[in-house]
Amino acid sequence: MLVYNVTINVDDDIHDQWVDWITSKHIPGVIATKCFKNYSMHRMLSPEPEEGTTYVIQYECNNVEDYERYQIEHAALLQNEHRERFDGKFTAIRSLMEEV
């Protein structure tokens, strides 16, 4: 199994609006691509960020082909929506991990 990991630090002034949008619109949009079979979202407690709040969203997929299909067919559109809505108010780090 592969995990697409997205770590996002969100500015305090948009926090509540961002959490509502990410959970009601963005994550359902990612899951609707059918590239991922499940997800989890966590608020990072340690290390505590100097500013804002950090979240980790992990999307599970069966194979690299599903992940690559997401990257080719869907990622740019979904990431652009995120950027347009909250530009300059968050930072994101994305990685792909393999379960061992």
Side-chain angles (χ1 to χ4, degrees):
M1 177 182 66
L2 299 178
V3 174
Y4 176 45
N5 187 82
V6 184
T7 302
I8 304 170
N9 180 270
V10 182
D11 289 3
D12 290 331
D13 62 332
I14 61 149
H15 176 266
D16 293 344
Q17 178 186 6
W18 181 87
V19 169
D20 180 58
W21 178 81
I22 203 82
T23 57
S24 67
K25 303 283 192 243
H26 185 77
I27 292 172
V30 172
I31 296 300
T33 67
K34 304 215 184 295
C35 298
F36 302 100
K37 62 181 184 172
N38 199 8
Y39 80 94
S40 62
M41 180 173 168
H42 310 271
R43 184 171 55 91
M44 187 179 290
L45 299 177
S46 177
E48 190 172 328
E50 291 182 23
E51 296 180 6
T53 304
T54 300
Y55 291 88
V56 176
I57 305 170
Q58 296 184 327
Y59 300 97
E60 297 176 7
C61 60
N62 290 323
N63 53 57
V64 72
E65 291 80 16
D66 288 342
Y67 169 77
E68 288 175 347
R69 183 166 48 85
Y70 172 77
Q71 289 299 320
I72 293 167
E73 297 177 12
H74 306 286
L77 176 65
L78 289 163
Q79 290 171 13
N80 284 339
E81 288 175 354
H82 194 189
R83 207 170 9 262
E84 288 172 7
R85 192 179 233 351
F86 301 105
D87 192 32
K89 298 290 186 173
F90 74 94
T91 56
I93 299 169
R94 298 170 180 88
S95 57
L96 182 64
M97 304 179 294
E98 180 178 38
E99 183 177 38
V100 292

